[in-house]
Amino acid sequence: MKHTRLASLALAAGLTVDAQQAHAYDMDCAIMLCMAGGFPSSAVCSAAYAEMIRRITPWPSRPPFGVCTYAAVPVALGGPGGEDALDISTADYEWLRRTRVLWWRGRSYEPRDEPRQWDWSIRSCDHENKNCHYIVRVYGSHSPWPASFASENGQDIPTPGSGGLWAFYSRAVMMEYGDYDGAMDYTDWVRY
């Protein structure tokens, strides 16, 4: 009897760990599927959107989505029955590879005996939040940063505001993503 209880507890603990791991993989698939649809209104897509933003919000910053293992789900459970993770390098997933993580940094200051100056930069990273490069970098401008900028995907994206009358430093992160049909969209800026 004692061994039966112990075995039952061990089995329950193992199922809990497997369920938590499966839930994490399910979230990656949900992020990709909801992104493909432009994050339609639903409880699942709202949770997927929130998780995506949580992942890119520092620190530590991670990729907005991980490997979707839906391809490895057995046919008996409704999956395609593959052995590997979903391969997003094919032409069908070009829309997903257009995802960019955009990092904003801006400041305003008054050097001694000079008028106010502004510095700002926008760094763009790929869908894995790696391979980053600056798409805009301005130092010592005598005019404030622009109200918007053109992204690598051709969108006109508004820059974050200054954060108030006395805020002279601003950092924020956002995501630019496309849906399955190729329409581009972006998230709100998240300050950190």
Side-chain angles (χ1 to χ4, degrees):
M1 181 76 164
K2 196 173 201 181
H3 293 297
T4 306
R5 283 187 195 163
L6 188 57
S8 297
L9 287 173
L11 179 62
L15 290 175
T16 303
V17 171
D18 287 344
Q20 288 172 346
Q21 290 173 344
H23 178 69
Y25 296 135
D26 291 345
M27 184 55 73
D28 290 320
C29 295
I31 291 170
M32 289 181 186
L33 291 170
C34 291
M35 189 183 296
F39 287 101
S41 296
S42 73
V44 171
C45 288
S46 293
Y49 182 87
E51 175 64 15
M52 179 181 72
I53 296 300
R54 187 190 68 73
R55 289 180 182 184
I56 66 167
T57 305
W59 290 112
S61 180
R62 299 183 331 188
F65 50 85
V67 176
C68 177
T69 57
Y70 176 72
V73 176
V75 175
L77 296 177
E83 294 181 9
D84 297 324
L86 186 64
D87 179 12
I88 67 165
S89 66
T90 64
D92 290 338
Y93 293 99
E94 180 194 354
W95 61 272
L96 191 58
R97 293 189 309 274
R98 290 175 53 193
T99 299
R100 306 298 298 171
V101 180
L102 301 172
W103 297 87
W104 161 266
R105 183 169 289 183
R107 75 181 185 123
S108 174
Y109 56 96
E110 286 186 29
R112 178 176 242 161
D113 299 327
E114 291 185 40
R116 178 162 294 285
Q117 294 181 17
W118 287 266
D119 299 340
W120 67 89
S121 65
I122 301 167
R123 202 172 53 142
S124 177
C125 303
D126 66 8
H127 66 278
E128 294 178 338
N129 208 5
K130 296 179 182 176
N131 303 317
C132 303
H133 62 276
Y134 286 97
I135 57 176
V136 175
R137 192 166 19 178
V138 175
Y139 295 107
S141 173
H142 291 288
S143 59
W145 51 75
S148 64
F149 66 95
S151 73
E152 292 172 289
N153 290 315
Q155 289 195 96
D156 188 40
I157 297 180
T159 55
S162 65
L165 183 61
W166 302 107
F168 300 112
Y169 184 74
S170 172
R171 294 188 315 176
V173 62
M174 75 173 315
M175 279 201 41
E176 179 184 34
Y177 60 91
D179 66 14
Y180 185 76
D181 294 327
M184 296 301 296
D185 202 355
Y186 52 87
T187 65
D188 291 330
W189 287 102
V190 177
R191 294 182 187 280
Y192 65 97

